[in-house]
Amino acid sequence: MVRTVGRRILVTGLDTFWGGRVAQALEARPDVDVVLGLGTGSPSVALDRTEYVRSDQTYSILSRIVRAAKVDTIVHTFLIVDSTSMNARTLHELNVIGTMNLLAAAGSADTPVRQVIVKSSTMVYGCSARDPTFFTEEMEGPSLQRTRLERSLLDVEALLRDFADDNPSTVVTLLRFANVIGEEISTPITRNLSRSLVPSVLGFDPLFQFVHETDVVRCLEFVTMQQRPGIYNVAGRGRMPWSEVVAMVGTKRLLLPPVATRLAALPLIRAGLIDLPPEMECLLRYGRGVDTSRLESAGFEHNFTSAGAVDSFARATRLKRAVGTTKPSYTYEADVEAFFRHSPTVAANDRSGKD
Amino acid sequence: MGVVTTGGQAAGTNKRAALVPLRAERPKAAPCDPRMSDVDEWGRSERMRTIIRRLSTPVYRYWFRVEWEGLEKIPTTGGALLVANHAGAIPPDAPMIIHGIEEELARPVYGLADYFFKEIPVGGTLWARLGGVTAHPDNALRLLADEGQLVLVFPEGTKGPSKTYASRYRLRRFGRGGFVEIAMRAGVPIVPIAVVGAEEAMPILFRLPRVAKKIGLPYFPITVNHLMFGPIVGSALYFPAKFKMRVLDPINFDVAPGQERYSKSRVMDEAENVRTEIQEALFDMLRDRHSPWLG
């Protein structure tokens, strides 16, 4: 048998949108030996050779997995960036404590881990009228009021900085993604845009920057395989007014008053007519832009501009309106998966197919 | 179209493909631009500028009767930082300078202003569409160095337009010299512009600092216009003062661009120098002015 030097990668949040897709991208590469997935639910996408561990992110389990599987790379996609999906306590538990455990497991003595990649968000810059038009990676947002979600992401980044200081031989990559949009992802923004009325604040038409969901996966794959250390903003080129985004998708704006915005929005949020997490409220006034020149000079090329990403979403929305949901349904069935991976019949067929 | 070969055929072995060599080399054609507006990354819209230019042409020509001197000193290519004095309760000098340069030189001008503008509903958005950008050092540097644009800045900030009529044409402190540092870092010249007329267009009698604080404004002026035309019309109706603008010689700094820091004393010297030049130009222009209304 030929000695392989392929990578052994642990992906967190395999049952979430990102974990599943990143694992799919990584397992398709011949230079990746092992893809291990960690998650609390069932995987949402079909996976070919990714091994799946159903577990929460407690430290003792993580460090055992890392050692036993000789994991050399951890791709931490499991950071919650949608505060509408859970309460503040769970959010803190998953983001901050989960990352703390993960980094502790990765940084133990005689660890096999050589690279850690964390998928964060440009939300760490906050949002205020004082913001520069483009945030570079070194800048700190001047905004003083931070939401719980933003604080938890800042905590995660601080943990990662400490980890990088303590483990100078480990490649630490931090990716900050702008608002993600695409055909399948569900975020407060995409949910709003799928409805007939989209919240916006009267008198404000902020500039938004988007990154396409496939570019997110491509970028995570890129930094993993290139082993690039550092902090990178990830966002498509260009920014566009919110009104234009709404027009491109073909819906209408629901104008909230510029004063007492929260108060006016609350009944609508309760009624399920709009999604308006606190992070988005300010974004609907001032927007946010990031500079992506560092990632571009590292050699990564986005397939989609901001406008292109919105267009892709708009096309998917039009299709959904015409034919209903188009999501390919996949349900994870442990027995079936086990059969495909371990059955001697399937294995034999595979071998003869390859020869 | 039918001539173009498809599939994996190598171009070299196919004679027909050799006739159209460009097609095989080119990447997939870019899809048509999905954008629906022309708002750029800074929030400026050329379409909106065109509309506002059309609307403000009568004001520019027949109300303020703007007259330029030395317009040829403004570079026609590359970045330059335009520095001017600022006056009038709701300063009309910024739109007039931008209008004049865009009309005469056909170059866009981005105006730096306090973030406070961005917080105003409707006004903030309109301001951005017309070329207003938050006065953040990184914004200025990007516009000047990376994009080679014309950027207009009033280093006096709100201290300029908030001064009462009694201290007209006396320049306030020029900030902390940040504009000089930005120009040095971007490696672009500073072009000083002296503006006469804005002071008389909307003269401030006194200010109400308590009211300003209460409603979150930088200052709350009571103007002569208010007294004559009431609070609403008086906030929008300027007196027809004669505007004269004098572009002074561009100042180039012989320092290496792109430095993290520049000598603070040098920066302050240069800032004071720019201030003095504009101040002297103003006095010179006022010496020749017979009437604020007729020039």
Side-chain angles (χ1 to χ4, degrees):
Chain A
M1 196 180 155
V2 191
R3 197 182 73 89
T4 51
V5 285
R7 307 279 293 274
R8 307 171 73 85
I9 302 173
L10 173 75
V11 179
T12 64
L14 193 73
D15 50 333
T16 63
F17 184 88
W18 298 118
R21 272 162 188 74
V22 170
Q24 263 183 334
L26 290 173
E27 70 175 11
R29 296 186 68 107
D31 46 353
V32 173
D33 266 6
V34 174
V35 183
L36 273 180
L38 202 68
T40 48
S42 302
S44 52
V45 291
L47 293 162
D48 186 27
R49 63 186 176 103
T50 297
E51 294 176 58
Y52 177 48
V53 192
R54 192 184 296 230
S55 152
D56 58 358
Q57 303 193 353
T58 50
Y59 168 70
S60 59
I61 296 171
L62 281 168
S63 70
R64 271 174 63 198
I65 293 171
V66 165
R67 274 157 210 255
K70 292 202 172 50
V71 169
D72 60 28
T73 305
I74 295 178
V75 185
H76 187 27
T77 70
F78 191 44
L79 282 182
I80 310 298
V81 290
D82 174 3
S83 63
T84 59
S85 61
M86 59 189 61
N87 64 40
R89 187 174 291 261
T90 324
L91 187 99
H92 175 80
E93 205 63 32
L94 290 177
N95 278 0
V96 184
I97 308 301
T99 307
M100 193 185 77
N101 286 335
L102 189 70
L103 293 177
S108 61
D110 67 304
T111 173
V113 176
R114 291 286 155 264
Q115 188 185 7
V116 174
I117 298 120
V118 174
K119 176 186 166 297
S120 180
S121 159
T122 54
M123 277 178 207
V124 294
Y125 298 115
C127 173
S128 81
R130 300 171 193 227
D131 289 351
T133 307
F134 298 93
F135 279 110
T136 62
E137 285 84 352
E138 283 78 29
M139 285 182 188
E140 276 175 37
S143 146
L144 299 172
Q145 287 168 335
R146 293 307 184 95
T147 65
R148 275 172 184 278
L149 176 60
E150 286 166 7
R151 282 204 303 271
S152 87
L153 290 175
L154 285 170
D155 284 352
V156 166
E157 294 203 353
L159 288 170
L160 194 68
R161 249 193 315 277
D162 290 347
F163 176 83
D165 287 345
D166 296 344
N167 300 274
S169 61
T170 308
V171 175
V172 176
T173 317
L174 176 64
L175 299 177
R176 291 178 182 150
F177 290 94
N179 305 308
V180 187
I181 200 167
E183 291 171 26
E184 289 179 40
I185 179 85
S186 167
T187 69
I189 289 181
T190 63
R191 285 198 293 278
N192 277 322
L193 287 173
S194 312
R195 299 190 184 109
S196 48
L197 283 175
V198 184
S200 62
V201 182
L202 177 73
F204 290 92
D205 197 7
L207 300 178
F208 272 65
Q209 196 168 11
F210 293 98
V211 57
H212 194 266
E213 56 189 33
T214 55
D215 279 336
V216 174
V217 175
R218 283 180 58 242
C219 183
L220 282 162
E221 185 189 345
F222 173 81
V223 293
T224 307
M225 300 322 292
Q226 298 268 317
Q227 298 190 280
R228 292 241 164 222
I231 307 174
Y232 300 93
N233 290 329
V234 192
R237 271 183 174 271
R239 301 170 76 199
M240 47 203 302
W242 182 240
S243 61
E244 191 184 343
V245 175
V246 174
M248 275 176 72
V249 179
T251 60
K252 294 269 179 301
R253 283 195 291 167
L254 169 71
L255 295 172
L256 298 167
V259 288
T261 312
R262 190 92 212 146
L263 204 66
L266 264 179
L268 298 169
I269 298 170
R270 282 285 157 80
L273 294 173
I274 57 169
D275 272 274
L276 194 67
E279 297 77 41
M280 199 178 157
E281 207 182 305
C282 184
L283 218 54
L284 287 178
R285 280 168 199 262
Y286 307 123
R288 189 190 298 123
V290 292
D291 178 298
T292 55
S293 52
R294 186 187 280 181
L295 185 67
E296 277 155 21
S297 54
F300 181 78
E301 265 180 56
H302 291 86
N303 279 347
F304 289 86
T305 60
S306 274
V310 173
D311 187 48
S312 157
F313 172 80
R315 289 162 55 86
T317 310
R318 287 197 284 271
L319 178 63
K320 266 177 217 160
R321 277 192 207 123
V323 301
T325 180
T326 57
K327 219 173 195 175
S329 60
Y330 168 82
T331 38
Y332 177 83
E333 282 175 56
D335 295 344
V336 178
E337 290 294 329
F339 166 74
F340 277 118
R341 289 178 194 203
H342 305 299
S343 156
T345 320
V346 176
N349 272 346
D350 260 12
R351 217 166 293 132
S352 63
K354 266 174 197 164
D355 289 338
Chain B
M1 289 296 277
V3 190
V4 183
T5 55
T6 52
Q9 280 175 295
T13 58
N14 190 306
K15 278 182 182 172
R16 281 153 89 195
L19 292 173
V20 277
L22 276 175
R23 281 303 285 252
E25 301 286 309
R26 246 189 235 165
K28 215 166 60 183
C32 57
D33 187 21
R35 288 294 303 268
M36 293 173 80
S37 81
D38 71 332
V39 178
D40 71 6
E41 294 186 299
W42 300 95
R44 184 182 183 278
S45 159
E46 189 54 44
R47 227 174 281 161
M48 288 284 279
R49 282 296 324 171
T50 311
I51 293 169
I52 208 77
R53 271 203 298 272
R54 210 165 292 158
L55 289 176
S56 55
T57 296
V59 181
Y60 180 85
R61 279 204 198 138
Y62 304 114
W63 195 258
F64 291 132
R65 292 147 290 143
V66 180
E67 224 172 76
W68 284 86
E69 192 184 321
L71 202 56
E72 71 286 348
K73 291 174 186 165
I74 296 172
T76 47
T77 55
L81 186 60
L82 313 172
V83 173
N85 57 314
H86 209 18
I90 302 166
D93 40 17
M96 289 303 115
I97 293 174
I98 294 176
H99 179 95
I101 294 173
E102 289 193 348
E103 288 278 284
E104 304 288 341
L105 303 178
R107 282 195 72 177
V109 181
Y110 290 84
L112 297 184
D114 198 271
Y115 68 89
F116 147 80
F117 282 90
K118 225 174 156 183
E119 294 177 342
I120 309 170
V122 185
T125 305
L126 202 62
W127 167 71
R129 294 293 171 272
L130 297 179
V133 173
T134 311
H136 190 288
D138 185 73
N139 285 350
L141 193 65
R142 235 169 243 280
L143 282 166
L144 290 168
D146 300 351
E147 301 195 8
Q149 300 282 10
L150 291 179
V151 176
L152 172 67
V153 70
F154 300 98
E156 290 171 277
T158 55
K159 295 187 295 298
S162 68
K163 63 186 186 292
T164 53
Y165 190 63
S167 45
R168 60 191 179 277
Y169 296 115
R170 288 172 201 282
L171 296 191
R172 309 282 103 174
R173 176 165 60 84
F174 263 27
R176 284 165 282 180
F179 68 103
V180 171
E181 215 168 331
I182 291 295
M184 286 176 167
R185 201 170 291 148
V188 299
I190 281 182
V191 183
I193 301 175
V195 184
V196 163
E199 299 274 14
E200 288 84 5
M202 199 176 266
I204 297 183
L205 293 172
F206 54 90
R207 292 179 300 249
L208 301 174
R210 277 199 187 164
V211 179
K213 204 168 184 184
K214 200 132 234 176
I215 54 177
L217 290 175
Y219 58 94
F220 192 93
I222 298 298
T223 63
V224 184
N225 310 54
H226 284 143
L227 293 189
M228 289 178 68
F229 311 117
I232 294 164
V233 178
S235 296
L237 188 63
Y238 293 103
F239 293 124
K242 169 81 178 168
F243 266 55
K244 282 191 175 176
M245 319 229 191
R246 183 185 284 179
V247 184
L248 310 179
D249 289 329
I251 303 164
N252 284 290
F253 305 105
D254 50 347
V255 291
Q259 308 278 354
E260 197 59 44
R261 278 169 182 282
Y262 290 92
S263 151
K264 201 69 198 168
S265 59
R266 170 83 198 275
V267 167
M268 293 312 285
D269 281 351
E270 295 290 356
E272 190 50 39
N273 176 31
V274 174
R275 200 187 88 101
T276 317
E277 274 193 31
I278 296 179
Q279 182 70 78
E280 276 169 9
L282 283 176
F283 286 158
D284 191 52
M285 290 158 88
L286 291 169
R287 262 181 223 120
D288 295 338
R289 185 174 78 165
H290 299 284
S291 146
W293 319 113
L294 301 172

